[in-house]
């Protein structure tokens, strides 16, 4: 089942914006995988929140700078075509920008990074068993 890791600077998102964002990230990933948005799949799609203290982020090694956002999507290898990866990246970018009040095409657009990790078959396990 897919996993999402969201790393952000504490205070850069309101609690309400964070709640909407995590829901939108799951929706975007399920859509990209062409998986049905069912309670079972939502219960098995984890979003790990990594809230950093502002001092824990250094931009160019010279201080905190404006908050940055990193969204890591972990999926089975081959689950996403190149087109679906591009759509997922665009959807994630739009969702984070909306939540953080960033202009999607503005000067802070590159403050949002999306990493898509593909785990090769036989390298993901759950419940003590390798998932194929």
């Amino acid at each position: 089942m897919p996993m999402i890791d969201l790393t952000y600077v504490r205070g850069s998102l309101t609690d309400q914006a964070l709640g909407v964002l995590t829901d939108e990230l799951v929706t975007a990933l399920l859509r990209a995988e062409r998986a049905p948005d069912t309670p079972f799949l939502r219960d098995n799609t984890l979003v790990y929140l990594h809230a950093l203290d502002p001092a824990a982020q250094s931009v160019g090694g010279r201080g905190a700078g404006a908050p940055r956002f990193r969204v890591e999507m972990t999926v089975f290898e081959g689950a996403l075509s190149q087109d679906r990866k591009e759509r997922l990246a665009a959807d994630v970018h739009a969702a984070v920008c909306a939540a953080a009040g960033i202009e999607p095409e503005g000067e802070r657009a590159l403050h949002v990074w999306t990493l898509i990790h593909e785990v090769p078959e036989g390298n993901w396990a759950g419940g003590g068993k390798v998932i194929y």
Side-chain angles (χ1 to χ4, degrees), residues 33 75-81 84-85 117-121:
E33 288 190 315
V75 299
F76 289 111
E77 186 175 54
L80 303 174
S81 66
R84 287 188 279 147
K85 287 179 188 177
H117 302 287
E118 293 185 286
V119 177
E121 186 175 323

Side-chain angles (χ1 to χ4, degrees), residues 54-110:
Q57 174 187 275
S58 179
V59 178
R62 296 189 177 152
R68 301 320 203 256
F69 301 85
R70 183 179 65 211
V71 182
E72 298 183 65
M73 303 286 194
T74 304
V75 299
F76 289 111
E77 186 175 54
L80 303 174
S81 66
Q82 189 61 37
D83 288 344
R84 287 188 279 147
K85 287 179 188 177
E86 290 177 19
R87 180 74 249 157
L88 177 60
D91 289 346
V92 166
H93 183 75
V96 173
C97 286
I102 295 172
E103 276 295 318
E105 307 282 328
E107 71 178 60
R108 290 188 56 212
L110 288 177

Side-chain angles (χ1 to χ4, degrees), residues 33-50:
E33 288 190 315
R34 293 185 178 162
D37 193 339
T38 65
F40 174 79
L41 287 177
R42 280 203 172 253
D43 286 348
N44 287 285
T45 303
L46 302 177
V47 181
Y48 293 99
L49 303 174
H50 307 279

